[in-house]
Amino acid sequence: MAPLVGIIMGSTSDWETMRHAAEVLEALGVAHETKVVSAHRTPQRLYDYATSAADRGLKVVIAGAGGAAHLPGMAASMTHLPVLGVPVESKALKGMDSLLSIAQMPGGIPVGTLAIGKPGAINAGLLAAAILATSDEALAGRLKDWRAAQTDSVADSPE
């Protein structure tokens, strides 16, 4: 099955965060690919990845980055596909630098920005699935089941 979602990250150390997006997509049966694509250290790889994404059949890109976090915005500038940005927690500023870098895109180059770290990666996987589910009834059913299971997992009382 050809991947529908691309998960890219600036370095291998970002995998600890971004693996949560992959796990959600796997649980929902969404084909995806994962790549290390650094905006600063591998700019040609980023260019090749982003400009070919749609032609390769991808429908959504999830981009995780820390620090200056240029990866999501640069990817969004080179593809018409939806790009979901996940700020990876940084040591210096606990991910606030990443969050602000991703959220403060100039008008005309949108990046859907999620929460910092693991919650953002989980939600990026769920949001990518929801985007795909608008034209895939089977996936929509699996997503509804996922949400129902989440609801059912919440106790009625604290005891």
Side-chain angles (χ1 to χ4, degrees), residues 96-124:
M96 286 301 296
D97 49 348
S98 311
L99 174 65
L100 295 174
S101 292
I102 297 170
Q104 285 301 117
M105 288 299 297
I109 309 294
V111 173
T113 308
L114 286 299
I116 297 168
K118 178 181 175 179
I122 291 169
N123 284 341

Side-chain angles (χ1 to χ4, degrees), residues 7 21 27 52 63 72 129 143 146 156:
I7 301 173
S52 70
L143 190 56
W146 170 285
D156 289 334

Side-chain angles (χ1 to χ4, degrees), residues 10-124:
S11 68
T12 56
S13 64
D14 296 339
W15 179 241
E16 181 55 34
T17 296
M18 299 309 294
R19 70 180 177 84
H20 300 287
E23 289 168 2
V24 166
L25 294 171
E26 287 166 14
L28 292 169
V30 176
H32 61 281
E33 64 184 22
T34 58
K35 303 279 183 197
V36 174
V37 179
S38 172
H40 301 114
R41 291 169 291 144
T42 63
Q44 187 63 50
R45 188 184 305 172
L46 168 58
Y47 177 83
D48 294 343
Y49 187 89
T51 58
S52 70
D55 290 341
R56 291 184 299 104
L58 295 181
K59 304 295 182 194
V60 180
V61 174
I62 298 172
H70 290 127
L71 181 61
M74 290 301 297
S77 75
M78 293 184 258
T79 184
H80 67 278
L81 298 176
V83 175
L84 307 177
V86 177
V88 174
E89 188 172 337
S90 59
K91 291 179 183 175
L93 298 172
K94 303 295 182 200
M96 286 301 296
D97 49 348
S98 311
L99 174 65
L100 295 174
S101 292
I102 297 170
Q104 285 301 117
M105 288 299 297
I109 309 294
V111 173
T113 308
L114 286 299
I116 297 168
K118 178 181 175 179
I122 291 169
N123 284 341

